[in-house]
Amino acid sequence: MKLAAEVWRSSVRLLTTTNSPPQLNGGGNKSGIWRWRSFSGQPKRTVTWTWVCGFMLFTLGVISLFTGHVVSHLEWYSQQLSKRSLLDMSRREPIDVWKSKYSKFFYGCSERGRNFPPAVQEHSSNGYLLIAASGGLNQQRTGITDAVVVARILNATLVVPELDHRSYWKDDSDFKDIFDVNWFISSLTKDVTVVKRVPDRVMRSMEKPPYTMRVPRKSTPEYYLDQVLPILSRRHVLQLTKFDYRLANDLDEDMQKLRCRVNYNALRFTKRIQSVGMKVVKRMRKMATRFIAVHLRFEPDMLAFSGCDFGGGVKERAELAEIRKRWDTLPDLDPLEERKRGKCPLTPHEVGLMLRALGFANNTYIYVASGEIYGGEKTLRPLRDLFPNFYTKEMLANDELKPLLPFSSRLAAIDYIVSDESDVFITNNNGNMAKILAGRRRYMRHKRTIRPNAKKLSALFMDREKMEWHTFAKKVKSCQRGFMGDPDEFKPGRGEFHEYPQSCICQRPFSYDKHSTEEDEKEEIQEEVHNNTRPGYGHLSPPDSERDEVFPD
């Protein structure tokens, strides 16, 4: 656009200077163009005007070649400038611990592209793909999501994935016991053909059992096409085992959007699990208009795998060392160095201190999502003291949970539902559930998700006794910027796609609306007044004083 304007100005200068006759007496108040028209009958001026017109036509022709390209990118440039101004503003403002002010400008978008071909039908596919997922509920969820994409890459018919029954969690649940299998199949009809089992006629026609193989972690689509497709085409039925994180993080946009359609739409929990989960949510909402969910990954296996020291002395070190023997390939680690590197999950007490420092009052209602906590009630007591309104699924739905108690994955699904519905989600680690829910909550308009900056916080916790509370709180707020689930944390290529689903998040144009801003502020004031006048409101006096959850093969 600047180019067009400059050419126009140059043309005007040519008209008003080069082609203008000498000034005549009494003609000083006339414009150059008017003076040129007064002498248009002169042959010399006619020749010059013809040259100028030709130059202008040529210039406009050149501009027209680029105009479509420039105009087609105006909206993109506008969005980038809008986003930049939005994020610059968010970095300068105080942190609202309950919600991001700019989240309303972002939304999930995972629709199929116009050129995304329909699913290959079963009779025309390259064969049947069997998937054996691995790990706990959320680790298996990533495997199921990627299995659909791999089936699409191979033009294969996907058989409903098998869940892991032999892992540390020892859960005998099948896919249909946790997820709505009919919904899974029907919702993916346009993307991938999914069947419940390999047809008997196909199994009877096979001379050998299905071929079984394990692909390397984070394999590219090219690897699947070069190494896996020939085997599938030859054997017609192929099983991929221990399928977790076996697909590359970086795929083209259509495949990334397919990942989102699977994870955020097709994987729906069964009606029974959904019913129990929403009952817990309603019971939390009945007590408080808003609540936070804290995912404490503080089970013995997690602590042993981390190689960290949690202050339990000789007994703790002996117990965790025994559990650690499960993994033959784990190196010997220095607990202090691991803590300095931010590789140790926060203790429940440290989580409570972080939340109080960020500004959550002691009357805040918290839901604690967890399995077996190492140390039991003794470990949880400091968190309870900081937040007395402390609830778990066992406390809120004991009777409804009884049929699910033998199944750790179904219990984890309840925690997943309540954590997803919470106003704020906090984790003490960077494990599978933390990543999956962080990505989902970004997709769902950047609902507040707080992930501890463990590397910086570890130094603060070690020096906490050396500083006043207000100094500690100020430092916590400072180091948590960029770890609060805000839109400005969204950087292309950062982290796993399941945690940062950038291809599936779109932005509305940002514009400063004074009326809407005033309405937002009025709403926040009303909420604050409501919370302050709730019975039992008060503040306790503040205290005086990136290892993944993906276990190795």
Side-chain angles (χ1 to χ4, degrees):
M1 300 305 292
K2 290 182 178 179
L3 176 62
E6 184 61 32
V7 171
W8 174 250
R9 285 194 294 269
S10 299
S11 301
V12 172
R13 284 196 295 270
L14 284 170
L15 288 172
T16 58
T17 58
T18 305
N19 298 326
S20 298
Q23 290 288 336
L24 299 178
N25 292 334
N29 61 342
K30 301 288 186 178
S31 69
I33 296 178
W34 179 253
R35 290 195 302 271
W36 176 85
R37 286 176 178 170
S38 300
F39 289 84
S40 60
Q42 299 180 18
K44 183 177 181 181
R45 297 294 181 265
T46 302
V47 173
T48 304
W49 174 238
T50 302
W51 182 85
V52 170
C53 288
F55 175 78
M56 290 179 64
L57 290 173
F58 173 78
T59 303
L60 291 173
V62 172
I63 293 172
S64 67
L65 294 176
F66 299 98
T67 301
H69 177 75
V70 172
V71 172
S72 66
H73 286 74
L74 284 178
E75 182 179 356
W76 183 87
Y77 286 120
S78 175
Q79 289 179 351
Q80 295 305 306
L81 290 172
S82 167
K83 185 174 183 179
R84 195 176 300 123
S85 62
L86 183 157
L87 300 183
D88 288 342
M89 291 175 66
S90 69
R91 292 189 186 101
R92 293 193 298 266
E93 295 179 346
I95 296 175
D96 181 342
V97 294
W98 285 103
K99 63 181 179 180
S100 171
K101 182 177 181 180
Y102 301 101
S103 61
K104 59 187 176 183
F105 297 106
F106 297 84
Y107 61 97
C109 52
S110 57
E111 297 80 8
R112 297 172 189 83
R114 292 181 179 179
N115 298 322
F116 197 63
V120 174
Q121 298 304 306
E122 183 178 356
H123 65 276
S124 303
S125 71
N126 289 323
Y128 294 88
L129 185 65
L130 301 169
I131 294 291
S134 178
L137 174 67
N138 293 288
Q139 190 170 334
Q140 291 184 110
R141 192 182 186 103
T142 64
I144 296 167
T145 298
D146 288 347
V148 174
V149 179
V150 169
R152 174 79 191 198
I153 292 170
L154 298 174
N155 280 335
T157 296
L158 177 66
V159 180
V160 172
E162 298 177 5
L163 302 188
D164 189 349
H165 296 162
R166 297 182 296 275
S167 68
Y168 176 87
W169 293 268
K170 295 182 176 60
D171 190 327
D172 294 332
S173 299
D174 291 323
F175 189 100
K176 62 181 177 59
D177 298 319
I178 299 175
F179 301 107
D180 186 334
V181 66
N182 292 326
W183 171 258
F184 180 76
I185 294 172
S186 63
S187 64
L188 293 172
T189 301
K190 296 182 180 180
D191 297 309
V192 172
T193 298
V194 184
V195 296
K196 294 183 179 179
R197 58 196 298 266
V198 178
D200 291 338
R201 59 177 176 77
V202 175
M203 297 298 291
R204 288 195 299 267
S205 67
M206 294 176 60
E207 298 178 357
K208 300 178 181 179
Y211 188 85
T212 299
M213 66 182 294
R214 185 189 301 181
V215 299
R217 286 189 183 276
K218 300 183 179 180
S219 296
T220 63
E222 290 73 22
Y223 178 90
Y224 282 98
L225 292 173
D226 294 341
Q227 303 297 325
V228 180
L229 181 57
I231 299 174
L232 175 64
S233 299
R234 185 170 65 252
R235 300 295 294 268
H236 208 56
V237 179
L238 173 66
Q239 183 178 45
L240 301 180
T241 63
K242 205 166 178 60
F243 200 81
D244 58 339
Y245 297 97
R246 303 290 165 174
L247 182 61
N249 185 53
D250 188 21
L251 304 175
D252 67 56
E253 186 171 302
D254 282 333
M255 291 303 184
Q256 299 288 49
K257 287 182 179 292
L258 175 55
R259 265 176 165 161
C260 295
R261 291 197 292 277
V262 179
N263 202 357
Y264 306 140
N265 181 47
L267 282 176
R268 175 190 291 178
F269 292 119
T270 63
K271 291 182 179 179
R272 183 176 187 179
I273 291 175
Q274 193 73 23
S275 174
V276 175
M278 292 310 297
K279 281 183 180 179
V280 176
V281 173
K282 289 178 181 178
R283 287 165 187 172
M284 287 296 296
R285 294 284 182 208
K286 189 175 182 179
M287 295 183 290
T289 55
R290 56 188 185 184
F291 71 94
I292 64 179
V294 180
H295 177 229
L296 290 179
R297 188 69 169 92
F298 211 71
E299 295 89 345
D301 66 298
M302 179 62 177
L303 305 189
F305 183 78
S306 72
C308 298
D309 190 332
F310 299 94
V314 176
K315 180 183 178 182
E316 175 193 287
R317 288 193 291 272
E319 290 175 347
L320 297 184
E322 187 63 28
I323 299 173
R324 195 173 170 80
K325 292 178 181 178
R326 289 183 50 233
W327 300 286
D328 298 330
T329 58
L330 289 184
D332 292 330
L333 300 171
D334 183 331
L336 182 58
E337 288 300 317
E338 291 301 292
R339 184 165 292 278
K340 288 180 179 179
R341 293 174 57 217
K343 298 300 181 181
C344 300
L346 270 58
T347 67
H349 187 205
E350 289 171 339
V351 171
L353 290 174
M354 178 188 72
L355 296 178
R356 289 297 303 276
L358 287 173
F360 288 100
N362 82 298
N363 72 321
T364 302
Y365 280 72
I366 71 170
Y367 173 86
V368 176
S370 71
E372 175 194 359
I373 296 294
Y374 180 74
E377 181 58 30
K378 181 180 178 181
T379 302
L380 287 174
R381 190 175 301 122
L383 179 59
R384 285 182 184 271
D385 291 341
L386 290 169
F387 294 96
N389 296 317
F390 176 109
Y391 295 91
T392 64
K393 55 184 176 293
E394 290 81 7
M395 296 168 65
L396 295 171
N398 188 47
D399 292 338
E400 293 90 343
L401 284 180
K402 286 180 179 178
L404 307 179
L405 291 178
F407 309 102
S408 59
S409 290
R410 300 184 213 183
L411 293 176
I414 303 300
D415 282 338
Y416 181 100
I417 292 170
V418 182
S419 296
D420 184 37
E421 292 290 331
S422 67
D423 298 277
V424 180
F425 173 65
I426 299 103
T427 177
N428 71 330
N429 69 96
N430 197 32
N432 292 301
M433 181 168 171
K435 291 179 180 177
I436 288 288
L437 272 174
R440 178 178 177 84
R441 291 170 71 89
R442 287 187 172 95
Y443 184 83
M444 300 296 179
R445 301 178 185 273
H446 284 81
K447 293 167 67 176
R448 178 66 80 200
T449 303
I450 300 175
R451 184 167 52 92
N453 184 350
K455 187 173 183 178
K456 291 186 177 180
L457 286 177
S458 63
L460 280 179
F461 287 129
M462 287 190 285
D463 293 339
R464 188 174 64 85
E465 301 296 334
K466 301 177 184 178
M467 63 184 81
E468 298 291 334
W469 172 257
H470 72 275
T471 302
F472 173 77
K474 183 178 179 180
K475 289 180 178 291
V476 169
K477 291 174 183 176
S478 176
C479 71
Q480 277 301 117
R481 282 194 177 274
F483 291 79
M484 300 290 287
D486 282 311
D488 61 346
E489 297 174 20
F490 195 74
K491 299 176 182 178
R494 176 178 179 178
E496 297 287 345
F497 180 79
H498 297 290
E499 184 178 5
Y500 293 92
Q502 58 266 28
S503 300
C504 304
I505 297 177
C506 296
Q507 181 196 355
R508 293 187 177 89
F510 172 70
S511 61
Y512 180 77
D513 186 340
K514 186 174 186 296
H515 176 72
S516 62
T517 302
E518 290 175 348
E519 288 297 319
D520 291 342
E521 291 176 353
K522 182 179 179 182
E523 179 183 348
E524 291 173 3
I525 292 172
Q526 289 175 341
E527 288 182 355
E528 189 64 29
V529 170
H530 174 73
N531 290 333
N532 290 351
T533 55
R534 184 182 300 149
Y537 182 87
H539 293 272
L540 284 177
S541 298
D544 294 331
S545 33
E546 241 155 31
R547 184 184 313 278
D548 288 345
E549 189 182 343
V550 181
F551 298 146
D553 293 340

